[in-house]
Amino acid sequence: MSRIAVAGFQHETNTFASLQATLADFQAADAWPGLTAGPAMFAAVRGINLPAAGFIDEARSLGHELAPLLWCSAQPSAHVTRDAFETIASRLLELLSAEHSLDAVYLDLHGAMVAEHIEDADGELLERVRRAIGPDVLLVASLDFHANVSPRMVAHADALVSFRSYPHVDMTDTGVRAAALLHDSLQNPARAKWHRSLPFLMPLTSQCTLIEPLHSVMEHARRLERDPILSLCLTPGFPAADVPECGPAIFGFAREPAPLERAAHELAEAVLGREAEFALSTILIDSAVRIARDADVPRGRPLILADTQDNPGAGGNADTTSLLKALIASGVEGVLAGVFWDAECAARAHAAGRGASVELQLGAHTGYPGETPITARFTVEQLGDGRFTGTGPFYLGGRFELGPMALLRVGEVRVVVASRKQQAADAAMFRHVGAEPSQARVLVLKSSVHFRADFGGFASRIVLVEAPGPNLADPARLPFTRLPAGKRLKPRT
Ligand SMILES: [Zn+2]
């Protein structure tokens, strides 16, 4: 039996977004727990599709004793403030230094965190933890599929392991893999590491593992991860980050260098050989509206329009209105849209009450250029307190706290609004206010890819729409200044 300290500190930073992640953002619960320290952390993550939850269960069943430090995350956004990073990192290290006789530390990280004052915040955190524990205590971390992995992160960890799916339906499983990896490493640690960045940025919507080419590439990666390789990972990266390590990377840990090197090269070739297939595939609002108006949509099999550029899971604010306005103006029937982040509209709907008709200005409150609210008289169809449990494969078990919510209707369009922003990636976010997404004719979702886990099964067609929004679908349109020379901003076709 070994003694293992457990901590989590996750953020996916869109350095081009407008709102920063403050300490309060990490303290508040959303679909995932707010900042929780000490033994309460175990209960906070239990049963949720999160790496820490999988790690804790698996490490315990392997007979290890666990020391809880803290766990927190915040919604993807612009930089983590200096105050938030330093407060949380100091608290983590303080709790770590109070632990004695540790054999290992496990960190549940995202891998694409950028703080105001530190470009590679995950590398910095791993380095600080390494400095605190010394060279002989094992340090293992799990990473998101969107990690922008740096050599510094690889250098300070004894092993790293990342998700293999997007939508991330394997977060718990990745924690289980991390526990198994750590368990093996306690007996016989990795002696070889490998890390290489790939030379092009991959648009988020092309990173989906339910479709080609990544479906096959990830299967290939899974087959290559075998003894003496402890972990072999491909992270497509989070493209909206102006940092030198932005983009896809391959990394691994093994007991012998040569097989790792061979497998890593083979995986790199598998990605590079299909580069053209990663090209962005989106349509503009006019085409989307035409499709939505004219489509012959079977009952119970909605057409999904993914409003990817306003995805709050990647730095959007879930409040742009252009797509919805165009659908309203064209009289498109049977539209259900969500989830808008608009605390004021939610509050006014609650004040007016269920069944009331109320004049509202919906959306566009965060000031994205050119966006204006939808000013109309809405009917308040249903209200909710924003507290419910995730039921889809991605947010499974998540104990949502989205504040007051409402289902509003204007003509043929119904809109779900919440008081906290959260990616529309779970049908429970709609059912909570009485809207059944599978019964809509046209479903408009503030999401890029994660929605596919819970909504993809009943969709008759999925269309990725490039409506105005802060999360630009095409990385080539982002004003990068920190990328190394030679990095391609889009796949070569
Ligand atoms: Zn991710």
Side-chain angles (χ1 to χ4, degrees):
M1 184 186 80
S2 297
R3 192 166 156 70
I4 306 167
V6 180
F9 182 8
Q10 295 196 10
H11 192 256
E12 178 180 86
T13 308
N14 178 334
T15 64
F16 303 102
S18 55
L19 305 179
Q20 294 189 322
T22 64
L23 183 58
D25 292 324
F26 285 94
Q27 287 166 331
D30 39 49
W32 294 330
L35 176 61
T36 311
M41 177 196 130
F42 289 152
V45 299
R46 186 173 301 139
I48 306 180
N49 179 31
L50 284 174
F55 181 89
I56 291 163
D57 285 351
E58 183 69 6
R60 277 181 172 155
S61 76
L62 290 166
H64 299 297
E65 186 190 338
L66 303 183
L69 305 180
L70 61 81
W71 193 95
C72 64
S73 77
Q75 290 288 318
S77 68
H79 302 75
V80 174
T81 62
R82 175 191 285 261
D83 170 54
F85 181 83
E86 292 300 337
T87 304
I88 295 165
S90 308
R91 182 96 176 98
L92 193 159
L93 286 161
E94 198 181 285
L95 290 162
L96 180 63
S97 69
E99 293 295 334
H100 298 287
S101 324
L102 285 177
D103 301 291
V105 176
Y106 161 70
L107 298 179
D108 178 2
L109 304 178
H110 182 287
M113 175 158 57
V114 186
E116 271 180 308
H117 60 311
I118 301 168
E119 208 163 45
D120 176 8
D122 296 281
E124 173 77 18
L125 191 68
L126 282 159
E127 185 170 345
R128 289 189 196 181
V129 169
R130 171 59 74 199
R131 221 181 294 136
I133 60 179
D136 299 328
V137 174
L138 279 183
L139 177 53
V140 171
S142 56
L143 301 174
D144 193 277
F145 202 55
H146 297 114
N148 287 322
V149 179
S150 68
R152 190 179 180 197
M153 289 160 66
V154 175
H156 292 290
D158 290 291
L160 298 169
V161 61
S162 59
F163 309 164
R164 287 177 173 138
S165 67
Y166 183 30
H168 307 328
V169 295
D170 67 335
M171 291 193 277
T172 300
D173 292 347
T174 305
V176 170
R177 284 165 63 211
L181 178 59
L182 195 158
H183 180 74
D184 283 356
S185 302
L186 284 162
Q187 310 300 322
N188 189 1
R191 294 178 204 291
K193 300 179 180 186
W194 203 87
H195 172 264
R196 175 176 157 194
S197 297
L198 299 181
F200 69 97
L201 300 186
M202 211 182 267
L204 266 189
T205 46
S206 305
Q207 297 182 6
C208 179
T209 56
L210 297 171
I211 55 177
E212 291 299 324
L214 269 192
H215 181 71
S216 304
V217 170
M218 294 315 294
E219 281 304 314
H220 193 162
R222 191 188 299 264
R223 288 195 300 274
L224 288 170
E225 191 186 85
R226 57 174 186 262
D227 194 58
I229 299 169
L230 295 173
S231 102
L232 178 65
C233 304
L234 163 65
T235 41
F238 183 62
D242 193 12
V243 296
E245 304 304 334
C246 180
I250 289 170
F251 53 95
F253 297 80
R255 297 197 174 105
E256 297 167 37
L260 174 61
E261 201 169 309
R262 269 198 306 277
H265 278 290
E266 186 176 325
L267 185 54
E269 287 313 309
V271 178
L272 293 170
R274 302 186 69 173
E275 181 173 343
E277 293 176 63
F278 290 102
L280 181 67
S281 171
T282 54
I283 62 167
L284 298 175
I285 288 181
D286 286 355
S287 310
V289 168
R290 239 188 336 268
I291 291 169
R293 195 189 53 210
D294 301 340
D296 185 11
V297 181
R299 211 174 230 308
R301 306 288 317 279
L303 160 72
I304 293 182
L305 305 181
D307 190 0
T308 177
Q309 296 205 125
D310 195 30
N311 169 17
N317 290 319
D319 75 336
T320 62
T321 55
S322 291
L323 177 56
L324 202 53
K325 275 184 179 173
L327 291 164
I328 293 170
S330 300
V332 175
E333 294 174 4
V335 177
L336 175 62
V339 171
F340 272 69
W341 176 35
D342 195 323
E344 196 183 324
C345 275
R348 295 203 51 207
H350 276 251
R354 188 176 161 199
S357 171
V358 58
E359 188 78 25
L360 294 172
Q361 295 202 309
L362 174 71
H365 57 85
T366 58
Y368 187 75
E371 289 293 303
T372 53
I374 298 172
T375 303
R377 184 157 279 280
F378 290 83
T379 304
V380 181
E381 291 211 331
Q382 188 56 279
L383 300 168
D385 63 5
R387 296 184 148 201
F388 55 93
T389 301
T391 51
F394 172 60
Y395 278 134
L396 189 66
R399 295 176 274 277
F400 284 70
E401 293 194 28
L402 301 186
M405 290 179 69
L407 174 64
L408 307 170
R409 174 187 283 277
V410 54
E412 272 295 315
V413 172
R414 292 183 302 158
V415 188
V416 176
V417 299
S419 299
R420 290 185 62 82
K421 68 174 169 175
Q422 192 77 43
Q423 180 170 189
D426 197 299
M429 299 169 78
F430 290 83
R431 290 176 185 145
H432 176 64
V433 286
E436 174 49 51
S438 64
Q439 296 307 308
R441 185 175 161 275
V442 178
L443 199 48
V444 182
L445 300 175
K446 300 279 190 188
S447 177
S448 297
V449 171
H450 281 314
F451 72 88
R452 290 177 187 261
D454 206 20
F455 302 87
F458 56 68
S460 56
R461 183 176 175 190
I462 292 171
V463 177
L464 304 173
V465 187
E466 215 172 308
N471 170 42
L472 294 185
D474 182 359
R477 289 172 56 206
L478 294 168
F480 287 104
T481 61
R482 300 284 297 137
L483 294 187
K487 179 100 62 170
R488 295 189 283 284
L489 299 184
K490 57 165 74 187
R492 191 152 50 197
T493 52

